[in-house]
Each structure stands twice: as C-alpha cells, then as structure tokens.
Amino acid sequence: LLYERHGEPAAVVQLKDLEVPKLGDSDVHVKMLAAPINPADINMIQGTYPLLSPLPAVGGNEGVGEVLEVGRCVTALKPGDWVIPADAGLGTWRTRGLFPEEMLLKVPSDIPVLCAATLSVNPCTAFRVLADFESLAPGDSVIQNAANSGVGQAVIQIARASGIKTINVVRDRPDLPKLVERLMALGADHVVTEEMLRKPEMKDIFKSIPRPRLALNCVGGKSTTEMLRHLQPKGTMVTYGGMAKQPVMVPVSAFIFRDVRLRGFWMTQWRKDHAQDQGSVAGMMDALCQLIRRGQLTAPACTEVPLQDYRAALEASMKPFVSSKQILLL
C-alpha cells in the first residue's frame, strides 16, 4: 500500500503491484502475515507526524512476517522465522518485502499471529511507561486515560501481572457498560468516565487502593487536568499521545504544593536511544512474549481486514470511539 503524497489516507493510499528486488547478501526476504493500522501510521500519511518516510512510501510501522529466504551474510535469521520491525518506518502494509537484516527483530512463532503483529508499538510503550518513570511495587496504583486504546489495554494487563492496580478513564459513550465489562475482563480494577473524575465518589476508590504515583496521558486537554488532581504528591504524569489535540493544562498549585513531575515518552526515540543496547530490547521482548505465552497479555480487540479492503479499514480506524484495531491480513 503506497502513498506518493501526504493527505487523507483513503484518498492518497493506493494498492500497487511491484516486483520484489533481487536478494542482496545482507537482505531478508519476508512474507508479511498481518499488520495493524495505528494512529501514528495515519499521522505519517497525513504528513503531521514528527517522523516521515521519504516519498513514495509504503504505509505501516508495525506487523509480523515470515522469513522466506536470507542473503548469504545473514546469520541471525533463517527461513521460517517470524520477524517484526526493529524500528519505525519499515512499511509493513505489503505482501512481500526485502529488508536489511538489522531492520528486523526475531520473535517466537509460538505466540498468536495477532499478538506478534501488534507487539512492537503498543505493548512496548505500555511496558516502558510502567517501568521507566516510577518504581512501582505490587499494591501501588496507576491512573490512565484512553484506557480502551491499544496501549491502555496493554497497561491494564501488564500492571495486573505485576500486582499493580489500575484506574482507567474512558470517554462516556452509548455502549459504556459493554466497554467497562471488557476492560474489567482484561484485569482493570476501576473504570471511570472523564466526568466521574470530578465527582466526590472518586474518594471511595481511594479507600481500597492508594492514590496513584503514576498517571499515563494520551489525550491532553481537560482530561489531563482532571487526572492530575488524583496523583500523589511528587507523582509523575507521562504524556505519550495527544488525541484531543489540546495542550496539557496544569494548575500552578500542582507544581508548588504537590511537586508533580511532567514527563514525555515516544517509543521511536527510546528505540533510537537504545539502538546499541540490544540487552534492554531483548529483555523487554522476552518479558512481553512470556506474558503472552502465559495468557496474561492478549492482542487488543481487533478487526481483521483483507488487504484489498484497505480503504474501509483506513476509514474505520479514523472514526471516533473506536475500540477495535484494524488489522490488515496480508
């Protein structure tokens, strides 16, 4: 799926037939199996993301493929292995691809294909924001907005596996009870709407669990200000997205009297910073694959779409209140 200019995805993305180039010594020929449509993919096509691929570009930053053949200098991969992108910008919305070995990470092929296809962005983000900003112990709590997003669903499950309680904020919507039920089934401790954050009933939650030391923000605007109220003094709020497209507003009192910390996180930057530190990348991947094998981390709610229906999938992924990730089957 190729785009030659930036713009609205359904208008600029086209399905094209291309020849697979000749296999080079360090190349890996991959048959792609499945690739999701993430918000960052949409922003890259629109031209609004801080990281843009040179045009013409193949869409998609995430997915899983099977190795078909390898160049004679390739040592770490062999035919039959499953691989995911080592970095953003790979262009995963394709049936076949030829990639340099260092652009791929091997993953176990005994995990479900949808888990592998959605492994490198959302679960990694969830893993890092839980691990890198506050040292949380079993019994501690975190609060997060956009709890029904891919990252939100992964945060609930990873926290649950570590004994950490989650307070999950979602927007009010027509099918709210169904969404609450789904998040509770994943292991959410509390699910509240943004409106409830302002209500005195929030105090009842903190009778049974401590106030959070960590808040995870992927929305911005009013949602952020309301979450901050419930953060412990000296707590940290990490912003990793801005779906409301509004700034993060913080009352002066939160800084002076409660000394809260505001941090940011971008998975792409983390990968750049740790490019030479293969141990930390492998450690994170192993931990996530272990959780998947033990049934403690599942793929987000997915809608599987054949490649030729890509336009419908692109449009569906941009609708409001989407709780299902569109996955292209390749």
Side-chain angles (χ1 to χ4, degrees), residues 253-313:
S253 61
F255 280 127
I256 299 174
F257 302 120
R258 293 185 24 245
D259 188 18
V260 298
R261 282 150 234 226
L262 267 64
R263 302 283 306 272
F265 180 78
W266 187 29
M267 194 64 220
T268 302
Q269 188 62 47
W270 187 92
R271 286 190 198 283
K272 276 199 187 76
D273 295 346
H274 293 80
Q276 301 313 311
D277 174 12
Q278 280 314 303
S280 61
V281 178
M284 170 173 68
M285 285 306 183
D286 284 349
L288 291 169
C289 288
Q290 289 289 8
L291 288 172
I292 291 168
R293 283 200 195 92
R294 291 203 294 261
Q296 291 176 305
L297 179 61
T298 55
C302 291
T303 305
E304 299 173 47
V305 184
L307 182 61
Q308 53 272 28
D309 297 340
Y310 72 92
R311 272 209 178 89

Side-chain angles (χ1 to χ4, degrees), residues 7-330:
E8 277 317 295
V12 299
V13 173
Q14 295 173 316
L15 188 55
K16 290 227 162 133
D17 281 330
L18 303 172
E19 289 283 312
V20 177
K22 195 167 159 290
L23 190 73
D25 288 348
S26 306
D27 287 341
V28 180
H29 183 187
V30 177
K31 171 185 189 280
M32 291 303 297
L33 302 171
I37 299 176
N38 288 318
D41 304 329
I42 299 290
N43 296 149
M44 281 174 82
I45 297 165
Q46 290 166 332
T48 59
Y49 203 63
L51 173 90
L52 298 177
S53 302
L55 298 174
V58 177
N61 288 293
E62 190 180 34
V64 63
E66 184 185 333
V67 174
L68 293 178
E69 55 177 334
V70 299
R72 62 190 180 87
C73 299
V74 173
T75 53
L77 295 169
K78 60 183 189 308
D81 284 348
W82 277 17
V83 288
I84 62 172
D87 215 338
L90 192 70
T92 53
W93 300 350
R94 59 172 102 209
T95 53
R96 300 277 175 97
L98 215 57
F99 306 109
E101 179 183 16
E102 68 272 10
M103 289 177 75
L104 302 168
L105 279 180
K106 183 179 168 179
V107 291
S109 54
D110 64 347
I111 60 173
V113 72
L114 293 182
C115 287
T118 54
L119 184 61
S120 61
V121 177
N122 295 336
C124 290
T125 299
F127 187 91
R128 297 265 55 107
V129 293
L130 284 170
D132 294 355
F133 296 92
E134 287 281 346
S135 49
L136 299 170
D140 285 346
S141 75
V142 300
I143 187 168
Q144 64 165 345
N145 55 22
N148 57 310
S149 66
V151 173
Q153 293 175 57
V155 163
I156 290 170
Q157 296 174 85
I158 295 167
R160 177 67 180 270
S162 316
I164 293 158
K165 309 288 184 192
T166 56
I167 302 157
N168 300 283
V169 186
V170 296
R171 287 183 296 173
D172 201 1
R173 63 194 65 212
D175 61 346
L176 185 66
K178 210 159 100 195
L179 177 61
V180 171
E181 195 181 315
R182 199 154 64 77
L183 296 182
M184 296 297 271
L186 287 180
D189 293 283
H190 299 276
V191 182
V192 298
T193 61
E194 293 192 340
E195 291 69 36
M196 275 173 71
L197 282 177
R198 270 166 246 148
K199 299 209 167 128
E201 293 90 279
M202 281 300 287
K203 287 199 184 70
D204 297 339
I205 289 179
F206 300 120
K207 284 176 184 158
S208 59
I209 63 173
R211 285 186 176 269
R213 290 220 312 277
L214 180 65
L216 306 176
N217 166 47
C218 129
V219 178
K222 205 185 281 177
S223 173
T224 317
T225 318
E226 298 299 343
M227 271 206 313
L228 265 181
R229 279 175 199 229
H230 303 294
L231 203 58
Q232 272 189 36
K234 293 194 177 350
T236 305
M237 183 162 81
V238 181
T239 293
Y240 67 91
M243 284 155 65
K245 297 187 168 62
Q246 288 163 352
V248 168
M249 308 288 273
V250 182
V252 170
S253 61
F255 280 127
I256 299 174
F257 302 120
R258 293 185 24 245
D259 188 18
V260 298
R261 282 150 234 226
L262 267 64
R263 302 283 306 272
F265 180 78
W266 187 29
M267 194 64 220
T268 302
Q269 188 62 47
W270 187 92
R271 286 190 198 283
K272 276 199 187 76
D273 295 346
H274 293 80
Q276 301 313 311
D277 174 12
Q278 280 314 303
S280 61
V281 178
M284 170 173 68
M285 285 306 183
D286 284 349
L288 291 169
C289 288
Q290 289 289 8
L291 288 172
I292 291 168
R293 283 200 195 92
R294 291 203 294 261
Q296 291 176 305
L297 179 61
T298 55
C302 291
T303 305
E304 299 173 47
V305 184
L307 182 61
Q308 53 272 28
D309 297 340
Y310 72 92
R311 272 209 178 89
L314 286 169
E315 281 164 4
S317 70
M318 294 170 71
K319 289 197 171 84
F321 300 122
V322 179
S323 285
S324 183
K325 200 181 273 292
Q326 303 288 313
I327 305 261
L328 298 166
L329 297 181
L330 308 162

